Amino acid sequence: MALMGNAEIVAAGQQDKILSINMIRGIVTKKIDTDSEIVVMKKSRLLVCGSTRGDLILHDPRSLAVEHRIQAHTGTISDLDVSGNLIVTCGFSDRQGTLVIDPMVKVYDMRTMRSLAPLPFPNGPSFLKMHPKLSTTVCIASQTGQFQMCDVGNLSSGIQFYQINTASYINGFDISYSGEMIAFGDASNVVHVWGDKPEPQMNHFSNPIDAPTITMPPTVTVSDSDPLSSIGMPYYQEQLLSAWPAKTIFPVGRKPQSIPAAIMDNMKMIDFVGYAPNPGLRLRNQAPSLPKVTLRDTPKFRSEQQKELYFGKRKGSTTAALDDEQEVDLTTGVVPKYYKRVEIKYSKFGVEDFDFGFYNKTQFGGLETHIANSYCNALLQVLFFTPLLRTLAKAHIGQMCPRENCLTCELGFLFRMLEDSNGQNCQARNFLRAFSTIPQASALGLFEPDEPDVKTLYSSLIQNFNRFVLEQLHQECSLDRVPGVNISSNSSNSAATNPPPSVLTPSPIQQVFGMKTASTSICSHCGLEEERIMYPFVLDLMWPKPTQTSNVHQSSKNHHHHAASIKQQQQPMGFADILKSSICRESHNRVWCTQCQQYQPTTSRKSLLDLPLVLSINTGISSKDTSTVSSGMFLDESGKGADWLPLRFALGVDSKNVQVIEDDSTDISEFGITAEYELTAVVSQIQAPGEVAHLVSHVKVISENDPELCEGSPWYFFNDFLVKNVQEGEVSQFPSAWKTPSILYYTRVNHSPPPLTTETPSAPDTSILHVDLSISKYRDPSYVYHQLLRPEEIKQEEKLLIAIDTEFVALSREETEIRSDGTKSLLRPPRMSLARVSVLRGNEGPLEYVPFIDDYIATSEPVVDYLTEFSGIQPGDLDPSLSKHTLVPLKVAYKRLRVLVDIGCIFVGHGLRQDFRIINILVPPEQVKDTVDIFHIKNRQRKISLRFLVWYLLHQDIQSETHNSIEDARTALALYKKYLELTEQGIFQEVLEDIYNEGRKNNWKPIPGQFPAPWPRPPGFTSTGAGASGTPSSVSNATFQNLSRPATPSTASNVPSANATGAQNVGHAQSSGIQMSPLAYATQQQQQQQLQFQQLQQQQQQQQQQQQHYHMQQQMQQQIQVQQQQQMQAQQQMYLQQKHQHQHQLHMQQQHHHQQHIQQQQQPYRPFPQQQQPPKY
């Protein structure tokens, strides 16, 4: 192959044609026939080709026509090269039908087309290369490793031979552009480099090689379900081939409609034009309207709704999609809309832009789904509407719990949030985070897979989670009994046997959910009988095995016939029979007998001693075993859904028998233990054919205080964040395999109301606000900027005004994908975690604007991005072994905020909706004063930033480098007080309009050092823009007369004195002619102190680094001495090995030359095909 210029190459090989290829167009432009195959091709003044017949063929480089042909060798040509007018070749000759290497190198002159004196090379030339600097010097090499440099024009000069030290044969070589280096490659993958001077150069004018830092690309496995955004785009500097020029792209418009068949049938063709009568199906020169698009079942984003309201384009409401289905027929086999899986859609504004109100018109809160292990939402709703457990969990959070990941605490916090939700969506984020940290849950396989599929058994997961969570709550409540909580059972008779002392005082969970059971084991060999008392929290149903397995799939046509045929095969059992067989369980197993001292067949029986207040039942049905559902258990005589699940039943237990009664016809007063149960909750698995399963729950809500609940149906349907009031008939019907029951909750309802636990204390415990807690090992007092809240500051008659701001870190990055139109779609927002929370005093007094909470939150999960630019959090600030700040667990910080909400504090901040959402706490709207909503005009889409508001109203520049939660909370509080002042003066609306006008002028970016005129302004004032005079506007100190200096990095006792000192310094600054507000002075002093602390920290780090450097130098010197000794020993060994190898190679070379000489005399050589590997010599 040879490059001819003009982006064309000439290629030839084992074919009878020479091809000219245009690299730009990618096509073959010329084809020239040849009478033999081309082996070598070189480009010079002419195109020189060597063929397998030994001919030198010279072509015109433009037309590729043959100019000359020379017979160089009788065999094939192995190599050739061109330099100026000289052509050198080497090859094979045909001797008696055998190809033998020619010992001569042929030389030709292109001007006269005659041969010159050949160059002898006895070892057999196989490779040729002209010297790049000496035009008449050629390098000749053989496969055995001999090569020589000789001058073609002066053969009388001395010829020097060289031998390459190789154990195999040479298969290629080349000369550098400088002519100072020759590289040979052999068959053993070794490159031998020779040079004509001690320090040869590859190129005299080469640039130094700057090796880049190579980063290994991540391993990306792409499947059909992965988004396109997971595939990174390559870096490029040239225009891609996919970038079509603008002149080649034309709008095609709407696709034309097809010609009606009536016109095509009557069309007559004349030449190339068709004529047909007009059937009058459409009007002339009018295109039909586009087809109507059906409305989607999902709601629009809130931003889209506000935009439509602003421009007046919204017509009607889209919330009727779910309200239309008041009563549904489950026997049709069609899954209703509200039973289907719901998913959260994300816009560019995140999850806050999703309209959750579309799915929930009730007063009960739903739970969101974009959290790991959110399949637990269905059971968490059931536990919330269990009054005994809800009261117990709420009483638990009022106590001091030392465990960091306590499910009972997190359950109590979640219940408080659901109580205050009033129809708002909630998150179980903190509970599920604590659940994911329990190693037993991971060992039991209770975690949801990252990508669930159709085979995921959610029914088994939720049943195992039901058993696990009750056991975990029992263990946590047993460690620290809650004082004031006492649950007693009103059973008619006590157990016959005396239980051991360990079970005389069961835990609260055992009193609510525990079934006091006597497990008796009888050895069939020796008759040893052992009995122990247990409190199982869950009853597993034991289903009968069907006599015949039917694999026939039902369809809508043969549904009734199939149900009837199944009922003929097996008579289905009712719920009472299955429940009775599950309670009176008898099993036969081989168990270790303590008396026989070996495994013996043992009979185990279980008998009830007392009944629980709440009966939790696992149905034991999963999608793997559909024989229970398909065997007609849930079908009536006509094959439709029957009320198989009783809404109420009575249970009678004595020492010998258990009776389950679904009606009032049987008297159970003769039994020793009796109880009446009412169905209060059902958790079901919903799985349409070919779709991923999910869980829903039906809960019975009874409230005598709420008239709305008393009028309608007490049953509510919970599908994650979809909440809907349903009829009672939907609960007990399971007509098809798409709806299967998983968990049943029955509550004991004797003639008297069930016993309740002691209610939580009316006054919240505020002791956690007055205790200084920190888990940091190296906490530095100079980094403490807060003063704890004193008990006398909390007054019942006056609500506490506080300012709050939080900072967050990212635990995972957002997941996006690029659509086919190039737009970016958000699949999942980043998962954020609370990193710092600061709460300041807002009431007037000497400690106004002084923080009483400034906690950094420790996290055990890996942090992906600290967001230092926006949060101010540095790596190591959240590590207990490195942080110098006040570091607390997430539970402590959450509990402090929970107490502040309970005592009725008024929260002031900027953008609190998102902060409270990530914290996972629900604050009543009447306790929130958000400056984002205060300084916002409802019909405007723009939300004003804190930095711009402070610049306009307070004439301060904040957030210049990074964010600080204390500074942001302090300025938000000052803005709120400024709002109260402007409202009192009656000019707030005028100021707000001017803020929007000023923002549009400056593109919503504050101008540092230039501020608008302060308010109130004189009559007739005309705004000329911010900083028109070129000097900062003065601020009246009367507006900030209540602003005090923040708590300095010192102990709590000297904070008031620090405030007094700050006031004096402010007065001194004002007397000196510097106009500075106390807020600005406090911020400046805080920055100066932080700078001093950073300098001191840097000095300490430098000293530590110097000591580490000294120790490292000593260690390096010791290592160098050891390495030198090892190198000397290694060099001695290498010298001996090389000497031995050299002697061995000399001996082998002598034998090799002797054998080669004998072979040349007796038998001629055979050439090696060019594409085959020759044998080793």
Side-chain angles (χ1 to χ4, degrees), residues 35 61 78 120 216-217 296 313 372 380 456 464 558 572 605 612 619 649 697 721 740 763 860 968 984 1026 1068:
D35 54 357
S78 60
M216 297 302 295
R296 55 184 181 181
K313 296 181 180 180
L380 292 178
T456 304
N464 295 333
N558 60 359
R605 298 188 182 92
T619 61
F649 69 88
S697 58
F721 51 84
T740 55
S860 58
D968 293 349
E984 185 179 356
H1068 175 69

Side-chain angles (χ1 to χ4, degrees), residues 712-748:
S713 172
W715 286 95
Y716 282 82
F717 173 79
F718 293 89
N719 184 5
D720 292 326
F721 51 84
L722 189 152
V723 185
K724 179 179 171 57
N725 183 251
V726 295
Q727 299 300 319
E728 190 178 69
E730 291 187 23
V731 181
S732 58
Q733 289 189 6
F734 303 93
S736 181
W738 63 265
K739 180 187 178 186
T740 55
S742 299
I743 299 176
L744 311 175
Y745 266 56
Y746 283 90
T747 304
R748 193 169 178 177

Side-chain angles (χ1 to χ4, degrees), residues 60-163:
D60 185 1
R62 288 188 239 176
S63 63
L64 297 182
V66 178
E67 297 290 340
H68 300 281
R69 184 187 296 269
I70 302 173
Q71 182 70 32
H73 302 273
T74 58
T76 182
I77 293 179
S78 60
D79 199 2
L80 66 86
D81 202 358
V82 182
S83 177
N85 295 320
L86 294 177
I87 303 176
V88 291
T89 66
C90 63
F92 297 81
S93 298
D94 188 3
R95 296 182 183 177
Q96 299 178 359
T98 304
L99 294 179
V100 181
I101 297 177
D102 282 340
M104 307 294 288
V105 176
K106 303 294 183 66
V107 183
Y108 297 91
D109 191 347
M110 295 176 60
R111 293 171 295 184
T112 60
M113 292 302 167
R114 294 181 181 178
S115 63
L116 302 179
L119 304 177
F121 192 79
N123 295 321
S126 298
F127 306 97
L128 299 174
K129 190 67 65 176
M130 299 298 295
H131 198 282
K133 300 298 182 182
L134 305 176
S135 59
T136 59
T137 302
V138 63
C139 180
I140 309 171
S142 66
Q143 287 188 346
T144 57
Q146 294 85 12
F147 72 98
Q148 69 176 6
M149 302 288 292
C150 61
D151 191 352
V152 177
N154 188 9
L155 299 178
S156 61
S157 60
I159 299 177
Q160 297 181 359
F161 288 88
Y162 304 91
Q163 176 65 43

Side-chain angles (χ1 to χ4, degrees), residues 298-333:
T298 57
K300 294 184 178 180
F301 293 112
R302 292 179 177 179
S303 59
E304 296 178 355
Q305 298 175 10
Q306 293 177 0
K307 189 175 181 180
E308 290 179 352
L309 288 175
Y310 177 72
F311 291 102
K313 296 181 180 180
R314 193 174 185 185
K315 299 179 182 180
S317 176
T318 60
T319 59
L322 298 177
D323 296 337
D324 294 342
E325 301 185 40
Q326 295 294 336
E327 295 184 4
V328 296
D329 187 7
L330 301 183
T331 61
T332 59

Side-chain angles (χ1 to χ4, degrees), residues 489-695:
S489 176
N490 293 335
S491 58
S492 57
N493 293 328
S494 60
T497 60
N498 295 325
S502 59
V503 297
L504 290 176
T505 57
S507 69
I509 300 298
Q510 288 178 333
Q511 298 180 45
V512 176
F513 295 94
M515 294 178 291
K516 190 175 182 181
T517 306
S519 178
T520 305
S521 300
I522 304 175
C523 179
S524 59
H525 184 265
C526 63
L528 178 64
E529 182 176 348
E530 296 180 349
E531 181 179 341
R532 56 174 181 162
I533 304 298
M534 300 186 304
Y535 285 85
F537 303 121
V538 179
L539 176 62
D540 295 323
L541 293 185
M542 302 297 295
W543 293 88
K545 296 181 180 180
T547 56
Q548 295 183 5
T549 303
S550 176
N551 295 326
V552 181
H553 296 280
Q554 299 186 34
S555 62
S556 58
K557 296 182 179 180
N558 60 359
H559 179 80
H560 304 289
H561 175 72
H562 179 67
S565 61
I566 290 179
K567 286 183 174 293
Q568 293 177 2
Q569 296 175 3
Q570 176 186 359
Q571 184 67 24
M573 296 178 62
F575 175 81
D577 299 331
I578 297 175
L579 183 63
K580 179 179 178 181
S581 62
S582 303
I583 295 176
C584 302
R585 190 179 306 175
E586 181 175 335
S587 60
H588 302 275
N589 300 312
R590 293 183 64 87
V591 182
W592 179 263
C593 179
T594 57
Q595 184 171 340
C596 300
Q597 292 297 315
Q598 60 181 349
Y599 288 96
Q600 296 290 353
T602 305
T603 301
S604 299
R605 298 188 182 92
K606 294 182 179 180
S607 57
L608 280 178
L609 301 181
D610 199 357
L611 297 174
L613 300 177
V614 178
L615 181 60
S616 177
I617 301 175
N618 282 350
T619 61
I621 302 176
S622 62
S623 59
K624 276 189 175 182
D625 184 15
T626 57
S627 59
T628 304
V629 181
S630 62
S631 61
M633 290 294 180
F634 304 146
L635 304 178
D636 57 6
E637 297 293 338
S638 60
K640 294 185 177 181
D643 294 336
W644 177 85
L645 192 65
L647 300 178
R648 199 180 186 98
F649 69 88
L651 190 62
V653 180
D654 57 12
S655 58
K656 297 182 179 180
N657 190 16
V658 174
Q659 187 70 24
V660 180
I661 303 170
E662 300 183 15
D663 50 15
D664 299 334
S665 60
T666 305
D667 186 14
I668 59 172
S669 59
E670 58 184 12
F671 292 91
I673 303 174
T674 60
E676 188 175 357
Y677 287 96
E678 183 182 23
L679 182 65
T680 54
V682 179
V683 178
S684 306
Q685 175 180 284
I686 307 299
Q687 185 173 19
E691 297 182 2
V692 180
H694 65 284
L695 299 171

